């Protein structure tokens, strides 16, 4: 069965370190998204991609970057982790046609000390 | 800008009804509704396209008023399994990019 997986599921890091969260989907979807979820804010869009070599900034992109070298993967990098980036991160993907239903990964809980 | 959801939280008894509202300051192309159980990923419930249509999923239905830039989710005869956080996701201009509301926490008690 096609799926979308995130790793690591839990990570603790220190302020200033670089962190990369992986997202891998086997749906062959062109569209991929990264959201962060915080209490009181719901899901906020960080970055998104409509295909290979395409990346776009979302609502809360400062301090984050992504790259899309193939269809399956959209890694999210925190160049210099800050305590304000402690959050649960969700990756999602969707087709470029149809109803645009988002398929979410299980989430990655990141704690920055 | 995130759409505004109301209420922020609601507690129901089994069999009671609830309405969750989603309001945007921008013109909408479509609206998605998702439910998230605690500790799990959000799961798609339905999509509403502009045109004022209403759709249903089991005893959960929704409406979309394009002119008012609002959508409402109706939960009828709620069940324990309906507990969770509900999010609306608003799409602008057919971009397949969704901006989510802040969520509505719903708890159904036996």
């Amino acid at each position: 069965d096609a799926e979308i997986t995130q790793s690591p599921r839990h990570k603790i890091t220190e302020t200033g370190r670089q962190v990369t969260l992986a997202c891998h989907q086997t749906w062959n979807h062109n569209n991929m998204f990264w959201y962060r979820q915080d209490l009181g804010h719901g899901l906020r869009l960080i970055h998104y991609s409509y295909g290979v070599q395409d990346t776009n900034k979302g609502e809360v992109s400062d301090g984050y970057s992504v790259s899309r070298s193939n269809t399956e993967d959209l890694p999210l990098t925190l160049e210099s982790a800050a305590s304000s980036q402690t959050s649960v991160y969700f990756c999602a993907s969707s087709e470029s046609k149809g109803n645009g239903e988002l398929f979410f990964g299980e989430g990655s809980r990141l704690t920055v000390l | 800008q995130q759409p505004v959801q109301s209420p922020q939280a609601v507690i129901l008894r089994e069999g009671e009804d609830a309405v969750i509202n989603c309001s945007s300051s921008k013109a909408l192309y479509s609206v998605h509704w998702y439910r998230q159980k605690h500790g799990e990923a959000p799961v798609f419930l339905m999509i509403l396209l502009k045109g004022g249509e209403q759709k249903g999923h089991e005893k959960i239905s929704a409406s979309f008023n394009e002119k008012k830039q609002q959508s409402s989710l109706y939960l009828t005869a709620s069940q324990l399994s309906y507990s969770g956080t509900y999010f609306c996701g608003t799409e602008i201009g057919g971009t397949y990019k969704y901006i989510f509301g802040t969520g509505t926490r719903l708890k159904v008690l036996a």
Side-chain angles (χ1 to χ4, degrees):
Chain A
D1 286 344
E3 60 182 4
I4 179 167
T5 55
Q6 295 183 229
S7 63
R9 296 292 310 280
H10 301 272
K11 184 168 182 68
I12 300 174
T13 190
E14 295 177 344
T15 301
R17 289 190 180 269
Q18 183 182 76
V19 176
T20 297
L21 305 179
C23 175
H24 179 80
Q25 54 98 2
T26 58
W27 296 98
N28 200 34
H29 286 164
N30 284 328
N31 305 334
M32 295 185 74
F33 307 86
W34 274 104
Y35 291 90
R36 61 176 289 176
Q37 184 171 30
D38 306 286
L39 196 63
H41 293 281
L43 293 157
R44 290 182 291 175
L45 183 62
I46 305 172
H47 280 286
Y48 59 101
S49 168
Y50 290 132
V52 176
Q53 301 301 331
D54 175 75
T55 61
N56 305 278
K57 293 182 178 180
E59 309 165 89
V60 290
S61 60
D62 287 349
Y64 303 94
S65 64
V66 293
S67 61
R68 188 90 180 269
S69 59
N70 58 53
T71 301
E72 297 79 17
D73 299 290
L74 186 70
L76 178 71
T77 298
L78 289 70
E79 298 294 343
S80 178
S83 57
S84 60
Q85 295 177 308
T86 293
S87 186
V88 179
Y89 291 86
F90 284 98
C91 179
S93 70
S94 70
E95 289 184 312
S96 297
K97 55 185 178 180
N99 64 12
E101 174 184 350
L102 290 171
F103 294 84
F104 284 87
E106 315 96 315
S108 294
R109 181 176 294 276
L110 176 67
T111 302
V112 183
L113 301 176
Chain B
Q1 192 170 3
Q2 284 185 284
V4 176
Q5 286 186 233
S6 62
Q8 290 185 327
V10 59
I11 300 175
L12 302 171
R13 293 282 181 186
E14 266 189 303
E16 292 182 339
D17 302 338
V19 180
I20 300 172
N21 299 303
C22 174
S23 181
S24 174
S25 59
K26 297 185 177 183
L28 301 177
Y29 185 82
S30 72
V31 178
H32 279 186
W33 284 96
Y34 291 78
R35 177 170 61 206
Q36 183 181 30
K37 301 281 188 177
H38 183 69
E40 298 180 7
V43 174
F44 177 80
L45 291 176
M46 66 187 75
I47 179 173
L48 286 300
L49 299 173
K50 62 180 180 179
E53 68 172 299
Q54 189 157 350
K55 301 193 81 172
H57 174 76
E58 298 176 343
K59 293 183 180 178
I60 300 174
S61 61
S63 62
F64 177 27
N65 188 318
E66 179 188 351
K67 289 183 179 179
K68 291 186 177 180
Q69 298 164 189
Q70 294 176 344
S71 178
S72 295
L73 187 71
Y74 307 94
L75 297 96
T76 305
S78 58
Q79 306 167 13
L80 293 175
S81 62
Y82 287 179
S83 292
T85 301
Y86 290 79
F87 292 99
C88 66
T90 55
E91 180 192 15
I92 299 169
T95 60
Y96 288 104
K97 179 183 75 172
Y98 286 84
I99 304 301
F100 285 90
T102 51
T104 296
R105 295 189 308 279
L106 185 142
K107 187 170 181 62
V108 180
L109 303 175

